[in-house]
Amino acid sequence: LSVAVSQPGFGESTGVPDFCGPRTQQAVIDAIRHFQAIAEVDSQRIFMYGGSRGAVVAAMVAASGISLRGVVLKSGVYDFVDWAQSRPPNDSIRLTMEREIGALSEEKLRGRSAYYFADKITAPFLIIHGTRDDRAPLSGAEKFADKINAQGGSAELIKFDSEHAIPMVQISDVMEKLL
């Protein structure tokens, strides 16, 4: 069984967008809980994948305490506090965040930053990142993987000579190994 969850207000979905925030995280948690409750679903074999904004949400959901067998993240930002300090005020992603959630306070940025919740992560992580990613710098993925491992978790970071959008054909083999 494979399920795709669209973030509220993102793309063509309904709901109020909150740039990977509490409403979006809860929508994914609710979807996972729904499928965990179905008798035909082995609730001990649920994996989660997220790319870009989906990686941000997947990392936060994994830190929520929900039971997952593994998590694959691709091209995400895991510490928006650090990220925001390096972005100019007219950065398109920053402007999208401000449009969806208002002024970027440290509290709002931390609520979307799994880095600060690494001690709550229990599922093994596979983090895939492009070395030339201009939206989500590689250094943030490295810092996040290091923190998960330092907190006693398990995170493997695999780097690709790529920009933000890493073609699925390049990463499917490494994802299969975790699955």
Side-chain angles (χ1 to χ4, degrees):
L1 175 66
S2 179
V3 177
V5 178
S6 182
Q7 297 182 27
F10 188 73
E12 299 290 323
S13 66
T14 60
V16 179
D18 68 346
F19 202 94
C20 309
R23 286 188 305 274
T24 300
Q25 295 166 29
Q26 191 61 53
V28 174
I29 291 167
D30 291 346
I32 292 169
R33 286 191 177 135
H34 170 78
F35 287 99
Q36 285 175 327
I38 296 173
E40 294 81 15
V41 173
D42 183 347
S43 64
Q44 301 303 307
R45 296 185 65 204
I46 295 178
F47 289 83
M48 187 168 39
Y49 165 82
S52 195
R53 282 174 73 146
V56 173
V57 175
M60 290 299 295
V61 168
S64 75
I66 199 156
S67 177
L68 297 166
R69 180 81 175 264
V71 180
V72 179
L73 307 174
K74 181 182 76 148
S75 306
V77 173
Y78 311 108
D79 181 356
F80 276 110
V81 175
D82 183 54
W83 176 91
Q85 292 173 3
S86 68
R87 305 305 279 202
N90 64 343
D91 176 80
S92 63
I93 299 169
R94 184 185 187 107
L95 292 172
T96 299
M97 286 181 83
E98 289 173 350
R99 186 174 55 254
E100 291 186 19
I101 65 174
L104 302 184
S105 67
E106 184 168 337
E107 178 185 2
K108 289 177 184 176
L109 295 172
R110 279 180 178 258
R112 293 154 175 82
S113 300
Y115 176 80
Y116 299 100
F117 305 95
D119 61 325
K120 296 179 178 11
I121 292 171
T122 57
F125 270 51
L126 172 61
I127 302 172
I128 299 167
H129 216 90
T131 57
R132 297 177 282 117
D133 192 326
D134 63 338
R135 297 180 202 172
L138 174 61
S139 60
E142 292 170 331
K143 185 174 97 167
F144 184 46
D146 289 346
K147 184 150 187 198
I148 292 170
N149 290 325
Q151 298 285 338
S154 173
E156 179 181 3
L157 173 63
I158 298 181
K159 305 170 193 176
F160 285 86
D161 181 24
S162 178
E163 295 175 352
H164 186 71
I166 305 168
M168 204 58 145
V169 68
Q170 288 184 315
I171 64 172
S172 60
D173 287 344
V174 295
M175 285 178 53
E176 267 188 49
K177 288 177 186 173
L178 176 69
L179 299 175

